[in-house]
Amino acid sequence: MITTCAAALAPRIALASVPFELIAQPVNAQILPAGDPATPMLGFNGSAPGPVLRARQGDTFDIRFLNQIDEGSAVHWHGLRIDNAMDGVPGMTQEVVETGAEFEYSFRAPDAGTFWYHSHNRSWEQVAKGLYGPLIVEELTPPDVDHDLIVMIDDWRITENGALAEGFENRHDQAHQGRLGNFARALVEPNSPVRLGDRVRLRLINVATDRIFPIELEGIDGKIVAFDGMPLPNPQAVSNLILAPAQRADIIADVTSDDQIAFVFPTRDDPYLLGEIPVEGANTTRQPSEIPALPPNEQKQPDLDNAVVLSLTMQGGAMSRPASTQTDIWAFNGQSGLTDTPFHRFERGQTARIRLVNDTRFPHGIHLHGHHFFEVGANNSLGAFRDTAMVNAGDTREIVCVFDNPGKWLLHCHMLGHQAAGMKTWVEVA
Ligand SMILES: [Cu+2]
């Protein structure tokens, strides 16, 4: 069962036997404030971002993807631990879907949480142009909230006449932080007022191709309850929240302002208001209560005693000495781009401990397909269960993963300009 929620889109579609049609096509989107010109972009089903795809945990998404843009495409379901053949990576899990062609995706949603979908062909350009949308899997017993809101945070590089700037493969951008926009917004879906005293769930998704967003929230009091779709056993304070591209955070909070909830991007100059949710009226019946933890998704316990220990070193970029063997701007372990043999071949169910070593002058957000992994914290403790790990320049971060999903999986930087310029590899699970 899939429903769409974006304005101007079809109502609930509940027939499992009828695939939901997801059509990539050119669109005009009102990215700039009302009164400014609309921006020619790419989108799904007439809008950019695309429709909200929503189902319950354990349900099957049946999606017929139709490509009506003028180049090949494919759709990746980011963060979903699904069959390899449905992962949407052209050249690895499927053929590219050419203009005018279609591809049937069908997968069961194993985990409840906040996910998203996006093009995985020439993603640095197609995602920048708008080929993405939210994918929400509801808990079988959802938390008690008054509003369930999706907050997509993006930036765009827009010219004076309202068009997206060209130069999606600008080598200077790729060697630095990637393609950073000159205009950023938090797109709230659905965008309707909340009341003072309401309890809200905010599903933040950084959908930008390259920009890391630190985010401050004003007008609420609550906790972060999940990262990258996966519940935190102990909800944590909403402070120092930073989302690298593709990362998500679920927040459950009570509205404490009678004016607005504000999403603020702190900058070196003035704080930049990304977006807001208006507050109208008051909820006089809700009783104060603790923010509960979300019900956990399945986690296989890692076998740390027998873990294979690996290192993935990020190299290259501006202001660094490149690895002698790298053939593009960026590399992992001296290799740029995909090689015939994987970074590692795992036995199904094997635990790996991977040191992510950032030997560059830029932060990177490393995304593993088909799995979530634990970030290793202080004292060797297993921290958040994520699909994208941010590693700051010069830092090393360890992750622990149980490779239990068979197939060929990409492991790449989700700064898509870095991925375009060599920062990608793959693993195989036998
Ligand atoms: Cu990167």
Side-chain angles (χ1 to χ4, degrees):
M1 178 187 67
I2 297 165
T3 61
T4 69
C5 296
L9 284 156
R12 179 170 290 255
I13 293 169
L15 296 173
S17 58
V18 178
F20 177 76
E21 288 195 343
L22 189 66
I23 307 171
Q25 57 197 181
V27 301
N28 284 311
Q30 192 65 46
I31 296 299
L32 294 172
D36 285 330
T39 301
M41 299 181 61
L42 300 177
F44 290 105
N45 297 14
S47 71
V52 180
L53 304 182
R54 197 180 259 276
R56 295 188 83 199
Q57 186 173 17
D59 282 356
T60 295
F61 284 88
D62 280 308
I63 295 169
R64 177 177 295 150
F65 169 59
L66 295 93
N67 183 9
Q68 295 179 1
I69 67 170
D70 65 5
E71 62 181 19
S73 195
V75 184
H76 171 57
W77 317 96
H78 187 113
L80 279 89
R81 301 189 286 176
I82 56 178
D83 286 350
N84 191 239
M86 296 291 112
D87 196 43
V89 179
M92 180 161 284
T93 66
Q94 66 171 95
E95 296 295 310
V96 71
V97 183
E98 301 290 356
T99 303
E102 58 186 60
F103 189 89
E104 300 257 353
Y105 293 98
S106 180
F107 51 88
R108 187 185 150 273
D111 300 310
T114 300
F115 304 96
W116 64 302
Y117 61 93
H118 62 81
S119 164
H120 218 297
N121 194 51
R122 299 179 46 75
S123 57
W124 51 91
E125 178 167 342
Q126 293 188 6
V127 174
K129 287 182 169 177
L131 279 183
Y132 65 79
L135 191 155
I136 305 301
V137 183
E138 295 169 355
E139 293 81 10
L140 297 177
T141 310
D144 170 29
V145 297
D146 300 299
H147 301 272
D148 183 333
L149 305 171
I150 299 163
V151 184
M152 286 168 281
I153 301 158
D154 203 352
D155 69 345
W156 303 266
R157 191 178 293 179
I158 299 186
T159 65
E160 275 184 16
N161 61 9
L164 292 180
E166 291 296 324
F168 294 93
E169 295 180 315
N170 181 298
R171 301 286 284 177
H172 182 272
D173 288 343
Q174 289 176 347
H176 293 77
Q177 282 174 283
R179 180 184 167 97
L180 301 179
N182 53 8
F183 182 72
R185 261 177 76 191
L187 306 168
V188 182
E189 174 62 44
N191 197 345
S192 51
V194 300
R195 296 170 297 180
L196 174 65
D198 274 347
R199 179 159 283 190
V200 297
R201 178 178 188 162
L202 303 171
R203 301 174 182 267
L204 275 59
I205 312 174
N206 182 349
V207 293
T209 53
D210 297 275
R211 187 185 287 278
I212 296 165
F213 279 102
I215 301 157
E216 291 172 358
L217 288 95
E218 296 174 357
I220 58 162
D221 179 28
K223 296 269 176 68
I224 300 171
V225 295
F227 279 126
D228 296 355
M230 295 299 183
L232 297 171
N234 299 303
Q236 65 183 57
V238 188
S239 56
N240 303 317
L241 176 60
I242 299 174
L243 293 179
Q247 290 188 323
R248 290 89 68 206
D250 281 49
I251 292 165
I252 296 181
D254 297 322
V255 180
T256 55
S257 166
D258 59 6
D259 178 24
Q260 63 178 19
I261 302 172
F263 302 92
V264 176
F265 176 35
T267 73
R268 248 172 286 177
D269 309 317
D270 292 323
Y272 183 102
L273 180 62
L274 291 165
E276 63 279 303
I277 300 169
V279 176
E280 290 175 11
N283 180 339
T284 54
T285 55
R286 179 171 280 279
Q287 299 298 314
S289 63
E290 290 284 298
I291 305 288
L294 294 172
N297 290 316
E298 186 191 333
Q299 291 177 352
K300 295 236 171 66
Q301 273 315 305
D303 179 4
L304 291 170
D305 292 340
N306 297 299
V308 53
V309 178
L310 302 166
S311 268
L312 190 72
T313 300
M314 301 155 228
Q315 296 157 315
M319 299 175 287
S320 285
R321 198 152 53 90
S324 59
T325 50
Q326 77 184 63
T327 54
D328 206 337
I329 293 170
W330 300 100
F332 282 137
N333 295 356
Q335 283 286 349
S336 302
L338 300 183
T339 47
D340 290 341
T341 52
F343 164 62
H344 196 81
R345 215 169 246 131
F346 297 96
E347 300 288 322
R348 188 174 182 185
Q350 192 171 20
T351 297
R353 189 177 186 107
I354 306 176
R355 285 162 48 86
L356 304 176
V357 181
N358 186 344
D359 192 16
T360 81
R361 297 298 191 95
F362 296 89
H364 301 285
I366 306 301
H367 172 48
L368 172 64
H369 285 223
H371 299 77
H372 275 62
F373 51 76
F374 296 94
E375 287 185 334
V376 178
N379 306 320
N380 251 350
S381 61
L382 296 183
F385 194 50
R386 308 197 69 139
D387 61 44
T388 306
M390 188 166 88
V391 189
N392 283 321
D395 278 2
T396 292
R397 167 165 261 168
E398 274 194 297
I399 61 171
V400 164
C401 183
V402 180
F403 283 90
D404 61 349
N405 196 356
K408 297 176 174 180
W409 303 104
L410 277 185
L411 174 60
H412 66 90
C413 182
H414 220 289
M415 279 81 167
L416 297 175
H418 293 175
Q419 182 202 8
M423 197 177 272
K424 60 180 165 183
T425 187
W426 62 290
V427 300
E428 185 163 21
V429 181

